[in-house]
Amino acid sequence: MSATTTLDQSTQPTLSHLRALEAEAIHVFREVAAELERPVLLFSGGKDSIVLLRLAEKAFRPGGFPFPVMHVDTGHNFPEVIEFRDRRVAELGERLIVASVQESIDRGRVVEERGPRASRNRLQTVTLLDAITENRFDAAFGGARRDEERARAKERIFSFRDDFGQWDPKAQRPELWSLYNGRVRRGEQVRVFPLSNWTELDVWQYIDEEGLEVPNIYFAHDREVFQRDGMLYATSPYMQMVDGEEPFTASVRYRTVGDMSCTGGVRSDAATLEEVVAEIAATRITERGETRADDRVTEAAMEDRKREGYF
């Protein structure tokens, strides 16, 4: 090969790890918009769905999103997160649908649990499936990542769900060479996970690199909490303490956001993005393993919920 045709590999542009993940996710967003008729983006106000919003911006701006944004609201969420959700979606000028667990209870679609360990978290499944049916959505973007939990690791990027919204991990479609099969019959759907190959550390590094705003409960702050089963729960009208449980004030932050009845905080002094990134880089415990009581019920708790139609 002559000198004029020899490629100098040292001068060839390369993608950083985060930009490669970003490019893959943007490709997934555009594939769904091209293949499916009525997608929706699930948005909780948490860090993963905040990253999804930024990726959707990069995929479709300067136009609007070719789908609405939807939050399944248990009614027992952290108020800081709900405030952030409403403000962020309004800033983007996108349409927000709120699917309410309280409305599902009022309509008799689900029965609320009672007692000190009651939670509305599992009730979200029925609310989500009803909202998907009522709006005729055939695809739902979610922020799940494979590093979160062993059942999540079984997911494909396009996760097929049958006409009952159920998931069978043994009946997922192959995804060779980033080719995705979005073909569904009426009533069927796919859950789409553009962040499948991201880790919690990737998410925080991307938030830091992009300068994204997140709810302030992700940073260390003083909060009144009580301890139960090795987890720190925020005191709230939704939590009933039992004998031996006493409130106290601690410096905590949250690694994940969700229903207050099953989401615990971690002791932390990380008050900036840089400190959070350093803290996550040093931890060896997954966020759900450390802070989500709903995943501690049984070893297969997440997979059982997913088979029923959970996120």
Side-chain angles (χ1 to χ4, degrees), residues 154-185:
K154 297 179 182 180
E155 290 276 19
R156 303 290 169 84
I157 291 179
F158 274 39
S159 178
F160 177 76
R161 305 299 173 99
D162 65 19
D163 49 5
F164 294 103
Q166 296 177 330
W167 174 67
D168 181 355
K170 296 180 180 179
Q172 297 302 297
R173 297 165 176 177
E175 292 180 343
L176 306 176
W177 307 292
S178 298
L179 297 176
Y180 306 111
N181 182 355
R183 187 173 301 170
V184 293
R185 297 186 299 242

Side-chain angles (χ1 to χ4, degrees), residues 3-77:
T4 57
T5 58
T6 300
L7 294 177
D8 182 356
Q9 293 184 353
S10 66
T11 64
Q12 300 306 302
T14 58
L15 285 176
S16 70
H17 172 64
L18 286 180
R19 293 307 160 190
L21 290 173
E22 178 189 71
E24 177 189 53
I26 290 172
H27 169 66
V28 170
F29 267 109
R30 290 172 175 167
E31 282 293 298
V32 170
E35 290 191 47
L36 281 300
E37 293 183 3
R38 295 181 64 86
V40 64
L41 191 157
L42 302 178
F43 181 67
S44 67
K47 64 185 185 306
D48 302 303
S49 54
I50 289 169
V51 169
L52 285 183
L53 282 185
R54 172 50 60 91
L55 294 167
E57 284 187 90
K58 292 194 174 189
F60 303 112
R61 288 296 190 245
F65 296 170
F67 41 72
V69 175
M70 183 168 76
H71 180 213
V72 179
D73 185 357
T74 68
H76 291 177
N77 297 97

Side-chain angles (χ1 to χ4, degrees), residues 29-309:
F29 267 109
R30 290 172 175 167
E31 282 293 298
V32 170
E35 290 191 47
L36 281 300
E37 293 183 3
R38 295 181 64 86
V40 64
L41 191 157
L42 302 178
F43 181 67
S44 67
K47 64 185 185 306
D48 302 303
S49 54
I50 289 169
V51 169
L52 285 183
L53 282 185
R54 172 50 60 91
L55 294 167
E57 284 187 90
K58 292 194 174 189
F60 303 112
R61 288 296 190 245
F65 296 170
F67 41 72
V69 175
M70 183 168 76
H71 180 213
V72 179
D73 185 357
T74 68
H76 291 177
N77 297 97
F78 290 89
E80 302 96 322
V81 177
I82 297 302
E83 183 278 330
F84 177 87
R85 176 202 72 186
D86 293 341
R87 177 167 53 82
R88 186 70 189 104
V89 175
E91 289 169 353
L92 290 170
E94 301 295 341
R95 175 188 171 207
L96 174 66
I97 298 171
V98 177
S100 168
V101 170
Q102 182 62 56
E103 289 183 8
S104 296
I105 295 170
D106 295 342
R107 291 163 49 197
R109 292 286 295 145
V110 293
V111 177
E112 186 162 20
E113 299 176 5
R114 301 294 180 185
R117 294 182 181 273
S119 172
R120 289 185 171 186
N121 195 57
R122 194 175 188 114
L123 306 185
Q124 294 179 88
T125 298
V126 171
T127 304
L128 172 64
L129 294 177
D130 284 351
I132 287 174
T133 299
E134 290 166 10
N135 291 279
R136 296 183 290 114
F137 294 133
D138 54 9
F141 293 103
R145 308 183 322 270
R146 290 181 178 131
D147 73 319
E148 288 182 82
E149 201 272 343
R150 67 184 69 183
R152 297 283 204 207
K154 297 179 182 180
E155 290 276 19
R156 303 290 169 84
I157 291 179
F158 274 39
S159 178
F160 177 76
R161 305 299 173 99
D162 65 19
D163 49 5
F164 294 103
Q166 296 177 330
W167 174 67
D168 181 355
K170 296 180 180 179
Q172 297 302 297
R173 297 165 176 177
E175 292 180 343
L176 306 176
W177 307 292
S178 298
L179 297 176
Y180 306 111
N181 182 355
R183 187 173 301 170
V184 293
R185 297 186 299 242
R186 183 178 296 276
E188 296 174 340
Q189 57 189 268
V190 289
R191 307 286 171 81
V192 183
F193 302 113
L195 305 184
S196 288
N197 293 323
W198 298 52
T199 65
E200 184 184 10
L201 182 59
D202 292 329
V203 166
W204 278 112
Q205 288 177 329
Y206 189 79
I207 288 170
D208 187 23
E209 190 170 298
E210 291 285 309
L212 302 181
E213 182 187 0
V214 297
N216 56 18
I217 67 171
Y218 277 117
F219 302 107
H221 59 285
D222 289 337
R223 184 178 288 262
E224 186 178 82
V225 297
F226 67 95
Q227 186 162 342
R228 174 182 293 174
D229 302 330
M231 292 175 56
L232 298 177
Y233 293 96
T235 57
S236 77
Y238 317 124
M239 295 296 292
Q240 178 183 339
M241 285 182 280
V242 298
D243 291 343
E245 295 176 344
E246 297 291 339
F248 59 93
T249 300
S251 177
V252 300
R253 72 174 196 86
Y254 289 83
R255 292 178 66 183
T256 181
V257 300
D259 192 294
M260 296 181 74
S261 64
C262 63
T263 305
V266 296
R267 294 181 184 272
S268 175
D269 295 315
T272 66
L273 278 174
E274 293 78 8
E275 290 170 344
V276 169
V277 168
E279 187 175 274
I280 295 301
T283 190
R284 295 295 178 267
I285 305 175
T286 66
E287 63 201 271
R288 297 194 72 92
E290 184 174 26
T291 65
R292 292 299 291 266
D294 48 329
D295 290 339
R296 296 184 175 190
V297 178
T298 69
E299 289 189 1
M302 170 65 84
E303 184 161 332
D304 290 342
R305 294 200 308 278
K306 288 176 70 62
R307 286 177 181 272
E308 296 170 359

